[in-house]
Each structure stands twice: as structure tokens, then as C-alpha cells.
């Protein structure tokens, strides 16, 4: 039995050397996959009782046409996946872009979410755009005044939902 294990470890080491990878890397990846699987498995029961999913997508200031097209593509791909794969109804999806993606627009969208989302619902907020950091506070760039990390923390605090996913794709 011990010899079989040693033979398997030697074969694994040889495979790593052949590929130019490290045994530690392969084991780390296996461990990571197992941990992610267990995390998903552990969270699955809590999502099984969720009543609805609410999605808020905000595309901020693009800066140029290339970024604007990319941000729009990402937002539409995400929204399409929410509709088609997760069956999120249109009434539960809000997309703020261009002149609607202002400080006031985002604040109103959060107020609407807070009014509709129940504690067992899932709320998914996705920010697509650029950010800034002045050495003290980070902000997501919007037309007009930006919202800072502190502002978003306050907005998230208004939600009753215990299942909130907040993704900020900005660079700062």
C-alpha cells in the first residue's frame, strides 16, 4: 500500500517536471477546486430558499468609445445570462448606463431594491467601469459626482436581504 502511494507520488512528480509545473501548484489547484466545491455545496441550501433574485448593473463613465462598447457588451452579456440561465425576470433587473448612471440614479435604484427585496432574496450589484483613488477614498466614476466606497457601504446597508453580492470591476 505504501509502495503504491510512493509510486503514485513519483509519477505525479515526473508529470510535473515534464510539464514544467510544481507539485505544490497542482496540489494547490486540487485543494482550491475542492474548497470551492465545498463552499458552493454549503451555500446551496441557503439559496434554495431564496424567493427572488434582483440584479442591478451600473456602467459608469467609459472615457472613450472603445471602453463604452466593451462595458455595454459586458453588461448585456451579464444581463442575458441572468435572464436565460438564472431565469431572473425583467422586472427584477435594473441597468443604469449613460445619463441614468448618476449618483441620484444609483441611489434611487438602491432605494427601489430596498423596497422590493426581502431578507431571503438574492441581490446582485455589478459595477462596470472606471474608478479613482485620491489617496484617501476610492470612488466609482459616474457622470457628475461619483459615489465612494463609503457611499456604497451605506446604500448596501439599506438592503434587508442577507444574500448580497457586490462586484466592482473598476481598476481603483
Amino acid at each position: 500500500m505504501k509502495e503504491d502511494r510512493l509510486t503514485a507520488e513519483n509519477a505525479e512528480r515526473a508529470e510535473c517536471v515534464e510539464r514544467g509545473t510544481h507539485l505544490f501548484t497542482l496540489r494547490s489547484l486540487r485543494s482550491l477546486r475542492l474548497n470551492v466545491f465545498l463552499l458552493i455545496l454549503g451555500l446551496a441550501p441557503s439559496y434554495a430558499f431564496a424567493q427572488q433574485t434582483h440584479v442591478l448593473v451600473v456602467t459608469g463613465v467609459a472615457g472613450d468609445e472603445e471602453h463604452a462598447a466593451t462595458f455595454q457588451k459586458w453588461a448585456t452579456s451579464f444581463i442575458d445570462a441572468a435572464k436565460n440561465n438564472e431565469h431572473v425576470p425583467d422586472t427584477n433587473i435594473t441597468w443604469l448606463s449613460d445619463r441614468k448612471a448618476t449618483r441620484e440614479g444609483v441611489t434611487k435604484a438602491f432605494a427601489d431594491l430596498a423596497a422590493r427585496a426581502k431578507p431571503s432574496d438574492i441581490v446582485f450589484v455589478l459595477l462596470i467601469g472606471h474608478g479613482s483613488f485620491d489617496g484617501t477614498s476610492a470612488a466609482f466614476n459616474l457622470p457628475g459626482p461619483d459615489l465612494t466606497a463609503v457611499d456604497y457601504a451605506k446604500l448596501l446597508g439599506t438592503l434587508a436581504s442577507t444574500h448580497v453580492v457586490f462586484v466592482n470591476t473598476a481598476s481603483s
Side-chain angles (χ1 to χ4, degrees), residues 102-158:
T102 62
R103 180 184 190 96
E104 294 77 24
V106 173
T107 302
K108 182 182 180 321
F110 268 92
D112 293 345
L113 276 173
R116 289 191 342 234
K118 296 175 180 52
S120 60
D121 288 353
I122 299 169
V123 175
F124 198 106
V125 179
L126 175 62
L127 306 181
I128 302 172
H130 297 293
S132 60
F133 182 68
D134 64 5
T136 306
S137 68
F140 181 74
N141 299 145
L142 299 168
D146 297 334
L147 285 168
T148 66
V150 172
D151 296 327
Y152 280 107
K154 289 177 185 174
L155 291 171
L156 289 166
T158 65

Side-chain angles (χ1 to χ4, degrees), residues 2-80:
K2 184 177 179 182
E3 290 175 6
D4 290 341
R5 192 189 73 187
L6 289 175
T7 303
E9 284 181 7
N10 288 338
E12 190 175 37
R13 281 190 182 92
E15 182 182 335
C16 289
V17 169
E18 219 174 272
R19 282 199 236 158
T21 59
H22 297 284
L23 182 61
F24 176 75
T25 305
L26 286 177
R27 287 187 178 159
S28 296
L29 288 173
R30 286 184 189 138
S31 175
L32 177 64
R33 278 185 270 177
L34 176 63
N35 288 332
V36 168
F37 174 74
L38 292 174
L39 176 68
I40 291 169
L41 188 62
L43 293 177
S46 66
Y47 289 121
F49 297 108
Q51 293 176 354
Q52 294 186 48
T53 299
H54 304 271
V55 174
L56 171 60
V57 177
V58 181
T59 51
V61 175
D64 59 41
E65 291 301 318
E66 182 181 352
H67 282 94
T70 301
F71 295 168
Q72 182 171 353
K73 179 181 171 186
W74 290 344
T76 55
S77 294
F78 181 79
I79 291 168
D80 288 345

